[in-house]
Amino acid sequence: MLSKKTKYGLKALAYLASRKDRQPVQIAEIAREENISQKFLESILLTLRKNGFLGSRKGKGGGYYLIKDPKDIPMTSVMRVLEGPIAMVPCVSLNFYEPCADCPDEASCAVHKLMLQVRDSALEVYRHNTLADIL
Amino acid sequence: MLSKKTKYGLKALAYLASRKDRQPVQIAEIAREENISQKFLESILLTLRKNGFLGSRKGKGGGYYLIKDPKDIPMTSVMRVLEGPIAMVPCVSLNFYEPCADCPDEASCAVHKLMLQVRDSALEVYRHNTLADIL
DNA sequence: TGAAAAGTCTACCAAATCAATAGGATAAAT
DNA sequence: ATTTATCCTATTGATTTGGTAGACTTTTCA
């Protein structure tokens, strides 16, 4: 299942991207328009900022804004930051690889074989979609 | 993340499939060979039986065995039984569809648009893989 | 200069889910 | 009758998830 965090994060990014100008948008506005708990959204936008997707300004007229062009934001990076590894199992993860403790041989592991394909297919989707593509 | 339940279930199915004969195999043997908690595996094999993948026999010489030929067991059905919906979000699920409470219009939802592609690509992998394929 | 606006940060909490365990009930074989 | 092995229910401990509370900091503007 996709976590609410990722879902809300994606919606917020899409909302910001749909704004032609790159003026700051308040958390409250995004939360209201996208039906998201404001406090929860706060923490999500914070991690998006800390990971280089968003900029922010405090005080009156402040808010969050996109730092990059939507077409330069691949879904791979968004998903990795919000949802974590794209692979469903650490032993097939590119960025978060870990061997399975219980599995003596990856090459002959049925789960490994299947999940490798699933990872590749998911990766292809995320790589071919930027924020601009899903608006 | 893939649940341990699914992981263990897949391993158990693969173990049974790798046995040429379709003689019953005891839970204890599968648990030992695949490094799985026996009690946990019990409940997993039980649901696999209730869902028509396995047959069982009690008493001495009993155990679990595959009911169908491995090449007639598509990963779609295994995943749906063990892991649940293949879609990461209910609003793009074929078998477990549910609208999002917060989303006014699916057609214009960025999450929907992306997750639809992810579902399709995962589905394609699962459909093209039978138990026989991942041995 | 000070009040209001808005993001930042830390801590906490309730509910759900996950992985596993315990222990007895049932059925089959010998 | 005894042993073997699955069947079933209940419980538990740990972790994750989604969300809340509240104080702090920075910026704007009257």
Side-chain angles (χ1 to χ4, degrees), chain B residues 10-78:
Chain B
L10 278 172
K11 286 201 165 198
L13 286 173
Y15 187 84
L16 291 174
S18 72
R19 289 291 199 88
K20 287 285 172 50
D21 52 12
R22 287 289 172 279
Q23 292 306 306
V25 179
Q26 295 168 29
I27 298 173
E29 177 184 334
I30 306 175
R32 183 177 6 97
E33 295 301 311
E34 298 290 344
N35 300 303
I36 303 172
S37 146
Q38 175 164 345
K39 274 298 198 177
F40 192 20
L41 183 58
E42 261 186 51
S43 66
I44 297 168
L45 295 181
L46 208 51
T47 77
L48 285 174
R49 197 212 54 177
K50 288 181 178 172
N51 283 276
F53 295 97
L54 300 178
S56 68
R57 250 186 35 211
K58 289 183 175 179
K60 185 160 193 180
Y64 283 96
Y65 50 91
L66 278 183
I67 280 184
K68 292 184 286 189
D69 195 300
K71 74 173 191 313
D72 294 328
I73 303 178
M75 284 301 110
T76 36
S77 59
V78 177

Side-chain angles (χ1 to χ4, degrees), chain A residues 10-11 14 75 125-126 129-135, chain B residues 89 91-92 103 105-120:
Chain A
L10 278 172
K11 286 201 164 198
M75 285 301 108
V125 170
Y126 292 136
N129 276 279
T130 69
L131 182 53
D133 295 318
I134 62 172
L135 290 186
Chain B
V89 129
C91 71
V92 299
C103 186
D105 178 31
E106 284 182 5
S108 66
C109 174
V111 177
H112 187 89
K113 215 178 275 188
L114 181 64
M115 288 304 131
L116 206 59
Q117 296 177 56
V118 175
R119 182 209 64 187
D120 282 340

Side-chain angles (χ1 to χ4, degrees), chain A residues 26 42 46 49 64:
Chain A
Q26 297 168 29
E42 265 185 46
L46 207 52
R49 196 212 58 178
Y64 282 96

Side-chain angles (χ1 to χ4, degrees), chain A residues 103-127:
Chain A
C103 186
D105 177 30
E106 284 182 5
S108 66
C109 175
V111 178
H112 187 87
K113 215 177 275 186
L114 181 63
M115 289 304 130
L116 207 60
Q117 298 178 55
V118 174
R119 182 209 66 189
D120 283 339
S121 75
L123 218 41
E124 194 168 341
V125 170
Y126 292 136
R127 280 192 176 132

